[in-house]
């Protein structure tokens, strides 16, 4: 199962951790893992490359997991929060369709 935890502080999403393989399909052909991975990569790209935020990204291929942590303040906070909120809404939609394979939590 893939587990995505969104970290929040007050009304601000401060980061996320995505870990595990969904197990929906064979490794290398799992459409759910591909959908989640693409969304993670797009979100990180928007936050760091487009907005210029210096979010800390840690990848652990042994688990597997990726963690993104925002700095205390962002120059383009509204866009960063929109990207993270959109990512969360997208994953909740996937979770609704694939609840045996994907878990989405706010912590």
């Amino acid at each position: 199962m893939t587990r995505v935890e969104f970290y929040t502080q007050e009304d601000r999403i401060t980061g996320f951790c995505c870990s595990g393989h969904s197990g929906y399909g064979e490794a290398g052909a799992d459409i759910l893992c591909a959908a989640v991975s693409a969304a993670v990569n797009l979100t990180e790209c928007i936050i760091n490359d487009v907005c210029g935020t210096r979010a800390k990204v840690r990848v652990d291929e042994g688990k597997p997991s990726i963690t993104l942590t925002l700095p205390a303040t962002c120059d383009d906070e509204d866009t960063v929060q929109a990207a993270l909120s959109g990512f969360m809404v997208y994953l909740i939609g996937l979770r609704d369709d694939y609840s045996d394979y994907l878990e989405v939590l706010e912590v």
Side-chain angles (χ1 to χ4, degrees):
M1 175 176 280
T2 298
R3 178 183 178 108
V4 184
E5 295 179 343
F6 285 90
Y7 306 116
T8 58
Q9 200 169 48
E10 297 174 10
D11 289 337
R12 182 177 189 254
I13 300 171
T14 60
F16 64 85
C17 179
C18 180
S19 62
H21 286 294
S22 75
Y24 181 74
E26 290 184 37
D30 188 322
I31 62 169
L32 184 55
C33 274
V36 171
S37 293
V40 166
N41 289 332
L42 176 62
T43 303
E44 187 276 329
C45 179
I46 292 168
I47 291 169
N48 281 331
D49 299 334
V50 174
C51 294
T53 303
R54 294 185 177 183
K56 180 180 172 184
V57 178
R58 188 177 71 239
V59 176
D60 183 344
E61 294 191 25
K63 285 190 178 182
S65 72
I66 182 167
T67 303
L68 181 141
T69 307
L70 293 179
T73 60
C74 302
D75 289 339
D76 199 354
E77 184 72 31
D78 290 341
T79 304
V80 169
Q81 288 302 305
L84 287 167
S85 295
F87 176 47
M88 182 187 297
V89 168
Y90 171 75
L91 289 177
I92 289 169
L94 282 178
R95 181 209 54 208
D96 290 348
D97 292 336
Y98 300 94
S99 59
D100 291 340
Y101 306 95
L102 179 61
E103 183 175 34
V104 180
L105 305 164
E106 277 188 68
V107 295

